[in-house]
Amino acid sequence: QRDDGAAGGGGGGGGGGGSAVHFPVRLMVIAIGEGSIEAGTQPKLLHRLELIRRKVPKEHQSAIELPAESAAAELRLRLFVANSEDAKAAQEYVAANKEQRPVPLVILAHALPIAVSYDARALDVSDANVVDCLRKQAKTRAVKLLKELLTSPAVGMTLRVLRGHEGALAPAALLEASLMEHAIAFVGGNRYISFPARNRNSDAASAGASGAGLFSAGSAFRRLDSLAAAADGGGG
């Protein structure tokens, strides 16, 4: 049911209590660039890439203020499980068109490791709906963190880089270190950005320790009362 096999039980001081476990997922995060898909792209791949560029969920479209720019920049994101067909299609295109400038897709994170802590007594991850809920929450939190870092002067993101004029891989190179500063070590040595599953009836559960950033590895888990309401993240 998990999207990778790296994290199972509690680790690194994650959600409190012996019943708290983690749902791990690695996400490829893509921003839509200013380039066009190369005309010689194989038809099946071309079709998939066109859908990736065109079908951007509303919740993953926003305007951000880049420190080095004078005007707000439109941000359109797609998020996919790193071993999904869409992620593989993006990787295939980027690898085959390394010299293209600007590019149609820019990579913000190749396989962003996120672990959602949840109460095993309350949730059954053999249920596809539960897995979908947790995955959507991971995507939502990933977007929030990325937007926070993109607007940070310390990262130094520019509109030229974000739009793909420096290649598909330049944004990920700028963001990687800052993203992983939010990660904690789990049993086995894997590092994940950890946060507690959202509880509709408890702002504290969804916000964690807001003064410490978007994620709180030590927050106690609070029982989910409504999975539908908890899944506030959208599709890819």
Side-chain angles (χ1 to χ4, degrees), residues 118-140:
Y118 67 95
D119 190 339
R121 298 169 302 183
L123 300 178
D124 178 7
V125 292
S126 66
D127 185 330
N129 291 326
V130 172
V131 170
D132 185 59
C133 169
L134 294 174
R135 189 181 294 125
K136 285 180 177 179
Q137 289 194 48
K139 290 180 178 181
T140 297

Side-chain angles (χ1 to χ4, degrees), residues 86-139:
D86 285 319
K88 291 176 182 177
Q91 291 170 337
E92 179 181 345
Y93 182 85
V94 168
N97 297 277
K98 293 179 180 179
E99 304 305 317
Q100 184 181 3
R101 303 288 190 277
V103 292
L105 304 172
V106 297
I107 310 300
L108 302 188
H110 296 277
L112 185 64
I114 293 183
V116 187
S117 65
Y118 67 95
D119 190 339
R121 298 169 302 183
L123 300 178
D124 178 7
V125 292
S126 66
D127 185 330
N129 291 326
V130 172
V131 170
D132 185 59
C133 169
L134 294 174
R135 189 181 294 125
K136 285 180 177 179
Q137 289 194 48
K139 290 180 178 181

Side-chain angles (χ1 to χ4, degrees), residues 3 23-27 79 112 114-116 132-144 193 195 215 232-233:
D3 295 306
F23 175 84
V25 57
R26 294 182 183 270
L27 298 174
L79 292 89
L112 185 64
I114 293 183
V116 187
D132 185 59
C133 169
L134 294 174
R135 189 181 294 125
K136 285 180 177 179
Q137 289 194 48
K139 290 180 178 181
T140 297
R141 297 305 178 95
V143 169
K144 289 180 179 179
I193 298 167
F195 70 93
F215 304 98
D232 61 341

